[in-house]
């Protein structure tokens, strides 16, 4: 008898195989991989809601309101139109602040990655800016420029800028010189080398920087509104906090969180799958 | 050091690692400037700028482009009419037997196939000179053999001037018309050997083996076994 015997069947690599070749017959009672994934996700969400409900039963309503009280507060906000007005104000600040931070970060990060001289000159600035708490930027800019929309957007942008710059900078430094040498040998000019060889390589970093930057930006936006604006979700949180109205505080927080999650899922995931379709999946 | 290569000649630069073989190629291709001296390319038959095809040790394909687009990336520099460009891309992939895989991404191909795409890319620009920097040294021996055979077939068909850098003596003997032996400290060519072996060549031909053995003997006589150990003893 053989000590070790194997019978292995290997399916062809996806590039060669026809789409239905790899699929196996599945019994009728078995859920597809996709629906099992959905079930697991839903189970996670339902459990979270259940734990919240249990907590709200144990604790008094003015400390931890239950899902129903929060939903009622939310519905009232929708009906009165308050929700939309304040939400749009907040979103406008986030979008402008973020775009400003992103464009600044990409320009400075790229310049630092490509030129040693610029890097030596600016990297201290970026490091210092990264260390300063966003709240300090906010206060200083409010004092310098007054409590207005421009100063708010600027403070938001300044808060997001250093983290984005550093990510892009690292991305440009990690660009594969061997690929650039290849392009040079084949007489590919400088602009095309930048667009077709450098940019695709830093795209993952720009995307990661954007996600990270957006996380910083939307958090500081709420604080900026709390400190110096009389509209927006931050203002609403502050207002209801002063009245100790917990269902309203929860309603605004949850709504905002859901919107940001949707942005992550609908926008970033889409961009990612579109930009990185060439990348093989990580197998750990 | 100085070297001359005639048109359509297949020359190998052979030497131990660290002797500056790759640097020679980089200077020939213009990737690195020479400390002094110059490179001259005579082109009596063709009017336009000389083109160079380079095949590196690694495939160096752009991972976000399909095989055909990787070739298009360099062919576009020639500014050919669309039709001619597409024809060249197809033809070059065909010549390395990868036409079926034109739309595959590099990560979907094996190492040998990726290197074949790199060869197709270098051929697609129809270069005056083809520079190759140990292109098969990272492949397994079986794949490498197939690739050497493929390279010779392509060279027989298309007759290019090739400068091929390697540290593999058998490879040099099998492929080239002339072998330039390089030493390190100083990095110079100390000998030029014209193999004079008939073509087409068979891999198993004992004459090729004899040439490679002679080169090995020559090398050991010239540079001895690793000299670094002696330096260690001195210090």
């Amino acid at each position: 008898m053989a000590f070790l015997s194997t019978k292995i069947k290997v399916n062809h690599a996806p590039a060669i195989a026809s789409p239905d070749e790899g699929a196996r017959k599945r019994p009728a009672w078995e859920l597809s991989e996709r629906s099992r994934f959905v079930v697991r996700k839903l189970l996670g969400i339902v459990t979270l809601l259940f734990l919240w409900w249990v907590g709200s039963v144990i604790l008094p309503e003015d400390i931890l309101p239950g899902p129903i009280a929060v939903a009622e507060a939310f519905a009232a906000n929708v009906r009165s139109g308050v929700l939309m007005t304040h939400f749009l104000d907040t979103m406008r600040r986030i979008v402008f602040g973020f775009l400003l931070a992103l464009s600044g970060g990409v320009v400075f990060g790229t310049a630092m990655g490509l030129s040693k001289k610029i890097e030596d000159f600016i990297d201290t600035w970026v490091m210092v800016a990264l260390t300063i708490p966003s709240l300090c930027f906010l206060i200083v800019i409010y004092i310098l420029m007054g409590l207005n929309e421009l100063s708010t957007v600027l403070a938001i942008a300044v808060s997001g800028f250093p983290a984005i710059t550093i990510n892009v900078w690292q991305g440009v430094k990690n660009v594969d010189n061997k690929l650039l040498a290849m392009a040079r040998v084949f007489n590919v000019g400088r602009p095309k080398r930048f667009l077709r060889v450098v940019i695709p390589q830093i795209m993952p970093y720009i995307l990661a920087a954007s996600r990270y930057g957006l996380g910083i930006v939307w958090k500081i936006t709420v604080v900026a509104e709390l400190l110096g604006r009389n509209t927006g979700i931050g203002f609403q949180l502050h207002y209801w906090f002063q009245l100790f109205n917990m269902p309203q505080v929860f309603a605004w927080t949850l709504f905002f969180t859901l919107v940001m999650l949707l942005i992550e899922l609908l926008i970033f995931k889409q961009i990612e799958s579109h930009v990185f379709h060439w990348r093989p999946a990580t197998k750990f | 050091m100085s070297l001359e290569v005639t048109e359509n000649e297949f020359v190998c630069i052979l030497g131990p690692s660290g002797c500056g073989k790759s640097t020679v190629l980089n200077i020939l291709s213009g990737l690195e400037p020479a400390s002094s001296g110059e490179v001259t390319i005579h082109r009596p038959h063709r009017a336009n700028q000389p083109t160079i095809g380079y095949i590196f040790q690694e495939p160096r394909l752009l991972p976000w482009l399909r095989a055909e687009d990787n070739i298009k990336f360099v062919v576009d520099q020639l500014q050919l009419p669309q039709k001619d460009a597409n024809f060249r891309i197809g033809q070059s992939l065909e010549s390395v037997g990868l036409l079926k895989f034109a739309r595959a991404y590099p990560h979907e191909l094996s190492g040998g196939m990726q290197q074949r795409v790199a060869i197709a890319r270098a051929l697609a620009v129809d270069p005056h000179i083809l520079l190759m920097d140990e292109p098969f040294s990272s492949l397994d021996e079986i794949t490498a053999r197939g690739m050497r055979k493929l390279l010779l077939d392509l060279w027989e068909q298309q007759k290019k001037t090739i400068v091929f850098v390697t540290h593999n003596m058998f490879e040099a003997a099998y492929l080239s018309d002339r072998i330039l032996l390089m030493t390190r400290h100083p990095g110079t060519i100390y000998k030029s050997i014209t193999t004079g072996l008939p073509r087409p060549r068979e891999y198993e031909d004992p004459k090729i083996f004899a040439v490679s053995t002679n080169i090995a003997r020559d090398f050991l006589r010239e540079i001895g076994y690793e000299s670094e150990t002696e330096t260690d003893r001195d210090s």
Side-chain angles (χ1 to χ4, degrees):
Chain A
M1 183 150 174
F3 177 63
L4 176 68
S5 72
T6 38
K7 256 191 185 159
I8 300 175
K9 186 166 176 288
V10 182
N11 282 332
H12 269 291
I16 321 159
S18 61
D20 41 65
E21 203 174 309
R24 82 191 157 89
K25 277 259 163 27
R26 129 174 83 82
W29 49 267
E30 200 177 300
L31 289 171
S32 72
E33 186 55 38
R34 176 83 200 150
S35 30
R36 267 184 289 174
F37 165 80
V38 172
V39 166
R40 281 199 298 266
K41 283 269 175 201
L42 284 178
L43 218 60
I45 295 168
V46 169
T47 311
L48 192 64
L49 284 174
F50 177 72
L51 288 176
W52 177 17
W53 177 77
V54 170
S56 72
V57 170
I58 299 168
L59 294 167
E61 175 148 297
D62 50 354
I63 293 177
L64 183 63
I68 293 161
V70 171
E72 275 166 3
F74 178 74
N77 292 344
V78 175
R79 272 196 302 275
S80 66
V82 179
L83 187 88
M84 230 16 185
T85 340
H86 291 267
F87 168 64
L88 289 179
D89 276 345
T90 300
M91 280 316 286
R92 194 187 58 237
R93 289 166 193 145
I94 290 180
V95 167
F96 284 123
F98 172 69
L99 289 181
L100 211 57
L102 183 64
S103 28
V106 168
V107 169
F108 277 78
T110 310
M112 286 166 77
L114 291 178
S115 155
K116 182 84 177 79
K117 285 174 197 154
I118 298 180
E119 178 180 349
D120 291 343
F121 186 67
I122 306 185
D123 68 350
T124 334
W125 299 14
V126 177
M127 287 304 170
V128 170
L130 188 72
T131 322
I132 295 174
S134 304
L135 188 60
C136 302
F137 283 128
L138 189 60
I139 293 169
V140 170
I141 291 176
Y142 272 162
I143 292 173
L144 286 176
M145 298 179 57
L147 304 179
N148 54 50
E149 283 301 306
L150 184 65
S151 60
T152 309
V153 169
L154 203 65
I156 293 166
V158 170
S159 306
F161 169 76
I164 295 178
T165 308
I166 286 183
N167 267 292
V168 175
W169 171 27
Q170 290 310 319
V172 177
K173 285 185 86 93
N174 279 337
V175 163
D176 189 348
N177 272 320
K178 292 183 162 183
L179 290 179
L180 282 171
M182 181 279 291
R184 273 197 292 148
V185 164
F186 285 101
N187 283 327
V188 175
R190 228 171 141 73
K192 190 176 165 193
R193 287 204 304 264
F194 183 72
L195 286 176
R196 303 281 306 275
V197 184
V198 174
I199 292 282
Q201 289 188 71
I202 59 174
M203 272 316 281
Y205 292 90
I206 292 183
L207 203 68
S210 302
R211 278 180 167 172
Y212 188 49
L214 188 66
I216 296 172
V217 160
W218 77 258
K219 283 170 189 134
I220 196 65
T221 302
V222 181
V223 179
E225 290 171 343
L226 185 148
L227 275 182
R229 304 275 71 210
N230 53 12
T231 58
I233 291 169
F235 166 76
Q236 285 291 330
L237 283 172
H238 185 52
Y239 176 78
W240 293 113
F241 164 67
Q242 284 180 325
L243 298 179
F244 280 106
N245 185 324
M246 286 310 275
Q248 279 289 357
V249 171
F250 266 65
W252 284 101
T253 307
L254 272 182
F255 169 63
F256 195 45
T257 310
L258 286 178
V259 170
M260 286 302 146
L261 276 176
L262 280 181
I263 289 178
E264 165 74 26
L265 290 177
L266 295 183
I267 299 182
F268 281 115
K269 286 273 183 213
Q270 288 308 311
I271 296 177
E272 192 170 39
S273 60
H274 181 74
V275 174
F276 302 130
H277 59 95
W278 54 270
R279 270 210 304 212
T282 310
K283 283 175 192 139
F284 186 67
Chain B
M1 75 178 273
S2 81
L3 70 129
E4 267 177 41
V5 183
T6 54
E7 194 168 8
N8 296 339
E9 194 181 14
F10 197 137
V11 171
C12 271
I13 300 178
L14 180 71
S17 44
C19 70
K21 307 184 294 280
S22 302
T23 311
V24 173
L25 281 198
N26 286 343
I27 291 171
L28 288 181
S29 66
L31 265 184
E32 273 181 48
S35 317
S36 64
E38 59 181 17
V39 178
T40 319
I41 302 170
H42 297 283
R43 293 163 292 111
H45 307 305
R46 307 193 212 192
N48 48 353
Q49 277 290 305
T51 48
I52 284 173
Y54 207 122
I55 300 166
F56 300 88
Q57 191 172 352
E58 327 81 19
R60 298 204 190 179
L61 302 173
L62 301 175
W64 48 88
L65 295 182
R66 298 174 191 278
E68 57 181 4
D69 295 326
N70 260 288
I71 298 172
K72 190 174 172 343
F73 178 75
V74 299
V75 169
D76 278 350
Q77 292 315 115
L78 307 174
Q79 293 172 337
L80 302 170
Q82 186 67 40
K83 236 180 162 179
D84 297 1
N86 288 340
F87 178 72
R88 278 222 195 161
I89 294 165
Q91 199 189 30
S92 63
L93 277 169
E94 169 93 78
S95 70
V96 296
L98 286 180
L99 200 52
K100 283 202 299 196
F101 295 92
R103 300 198 48 77
Y105 284 101
H107 74 86
E108 294 168 334
L109 302 171
S110 69
M113 288 158 98
Q114 289 181 22
Q115 196 60 306
R116 268 147 71 193
V117 176
I119 293 175
R121 175 176 63 190
L123 292 175
V125 297
D126 191 20
H128 301 88
I129 302 169
L130 196 53
L131 303 176
M132 307 181 77
D133 187 2
E134 303 189 14
F136 309 138
S137 65
S138 56
L139 301 174
D140 65 88
E141 187 49 32
I142 296 169
T143 311
R145 263 199 196 200
M147 302 281 281
R148 287 178 199 126
K149 177 94 174 65
L150 173 72
L151 176 64
L152 276 193
D153 290 347
L154 290 171
W155 181 72
E156 297 281 353
Q157 288 163 25
Q158 308 190 9
K159 281 296 173 194
K160 300 245 175 267
T161 309
I162 298 184
V163 181
F164 188 108
V165 158
T166 180
H167 57 234
N168 181 333
M169 295 155 205
F170 190 84
E171 184 176 51
Y174 173 63
L175 291 174
S176 61
D177 298 323
R178 196 150 58 92
I179 304 170
L180 306 173
L181 304 187
M182 239 184 124
T183 54
R184 59 180 158 208
H185 317 306
T188 54
I189 294 169
Y190 79 94
K191 195 169 193 176
S192 166
I193 297 173
T194 306
T195 64
L197 294 168
R199 293 182 190 271
R201 293 175 184 169
E202 287 302 321
Y203 215 90
E204 294 76 15
D205 191 340
K207 273 180 266 174
I208 298 174
F209 191 70
V211 169
S212 111
T213 317
N214 281 336
I215 296 170
R217 209 171 289 139
D218 204 305
F219 252 123
L220 292 179
R221 208 182 305 124
E222 180 69 22
I223 61 176
Y225 292 94
E226 242 344 322
S227 50
E228 267 148 54
T229 42
E230 291 165 29
T231 328
D232 286 347
R233 216 181 299 142
D234 293 341
S235 58

